[in-house]
Amino acid sequence: MSKEPLFSRIYPNLASASLGARIISVSDEFFAATPRMLSDSSPVFLPDKYDDNGKWMDGWETKRRRDGKYDWCVIKLAAPCSAQGLLVDTAHFTGNYPQAVEVEQCLMTDDNEPAPQWRPLLAKTPLSPNSKHYFPLPASTSSISHLRVNIYPDGGIARLKFFGKAQGKARKIRGLDEVSGLLIGGRVIDWNNSHFGPPGVVLKPDRALSMQDGWETRRRRTAGYDWLVVRLPHACEIKSIEVDTAYFKGNFPQACSVQAGGTKTYQKKLSTAWPELLPQTPLRAHRRHIFTRAIKTTISPIHHVRLNIYPDGGISRFRLLGKFIG
């Protein structure tokens, strides 16, 4: 079950530490600290690296249990959400992976609630060594804020990713709502190329920390341009657009344009005919561009936007500001 499923490509990983997810409590982390499991980077294996407790591992690893019980950790997600899917990655854990995993869920307003009402999310399921295990989760409208990950009886997980539709609150930026934010349900649902970097990161709330933290396409050798499509969490009007090329210096796009889609249903063939929200406009290297005057604000309501970059290259962030309708 290692092939990357659709849910992992179009929904954000809300168990990502870079988005604000964190470990609340853990039964044991003797060999490897639990927060490593929430890292965005691919797990690595360093054969000669040891610490005071033994072999250093890139993930969460507990000591060997002798009491017949099991280990667990509690994760606070980056935002409340509805579940779509889960990844449990045992990369590099071969003779020390858990026999099985079980995941429970709850909605808490306070991390220190004395007795949270844990509900089943993933039943106890066998794991394999050094493997990516993808689990589609039952569709539900109920909100989830915390996960409890139980491993049987002990062992290590390199990465845990939880994909969901975020239900956070919109931020105010320069007096406007951020209507495209990843943590309120905005998501990239389609794109033509992502050779060097995934497109979904462009909606993250922070500025990029490096060129690695952005969307980058391969060098185009034919006519045309590259693009991505964002589904907004609610119908809105857009008053301001940010395109950030931070850290893209020799590989930033020459220009960009933005189109707006007014229908709730997305159809790729029709998206090229959407009305223009921002005309083709030059971009510069390693710079935050804020477009306000050039925006055609008569387009409303807006459910989708299409960002076009000419002819290719990379951007770190794409942010839409305005107000929600209804």
Side-chain angles (χ1 to χ4, degrees), residues 12-22 35 37-41 75-79 160-163 182-183 204:
N13 169 25
L14 296 171
S16 165
S18 70
L19 286 178
R22 57 192 176 91
M37 185 174 64
L38 307 185
S39 172
D40 290 334
S41 63
I75 302 168
K76 181 177 183 179
L77 300 172
L160 183 133
K161 296 184 179 183
F162 181 79
F163 303 95
L182 197 68
L183 297 183
K204 290 172 69 172

Side-chain angles (χ1 to χ4, degrees), residues 137-277:
L137 297 173
S140 173
T141 56
S142 61
S143 294
I144 300 170
S145 64
H146 293 67
L147 303 178
R148 178 179 162 116
V149 181
N150 305 319
I151 57 174
Y152 295 88
D154 54 41
I157 293 175
R159 296 291 184 269
L160 183 133
K161 296 184 179 183
F162 181 79
F163 303 95
K165 186 176 181 180
Q167 302 167 347
K169 295 181 180 180
R171 300 186 302 169
K172 288 286 187 181
I173 300 176
R174 299 189 297 278
L176 298 170
D177 288 326
E178 182 186 17
V179 297
S180 59
L182 197 68
L183 297 183
I184 65 169
R187 53 195 175 96
V188 176
I189 60 168
D190 199 5
W191 57 93
N192 74 313
N193 188 267
S194 57
H195 186 86
F196 292 111
V201 299
V202 301
L203 302 182
K204 290 172 69 172
D206 56 351
R207 293 197 76 193
L209 299 176
S210 69
M211 194 176 75
Q212 185 180 15
D213 189 19
W215 168 51
E216 184 182 0
T217 67
R218 48 79 185 105
R219 298 190 187 212
R220 180 173 282 276
R221 304 306 189 190
T222 58
Y225 56 90
D226 294 322
W227 53 269
L228 60 76
V229 174
V230 176
R231 174 173 290 167
L232 302 171
H234 306 286
C236 65
E237 295 177 354
I238 294 174
K239 303 291 186 181
S240 181
I241 297 173
E242 294 185 18
V243 178
D244 194 346
T245 59
Y247 300 101
F248 289 96
K249 300 175 182 179
N251 52 350
F252 66 98
Q254 184 179 6
C256 75
S257 68
V258 179
Q259 296 168 272
T263 59
K264 293 182 180 180
T265 303
Y266 168 65
Q267 291 181 292
K268 181 185 293 188
K269 291 182 178 179
L270 299 180
S271 67
T272 55
W274 288 349
E276 198 172 66
L277 185 64

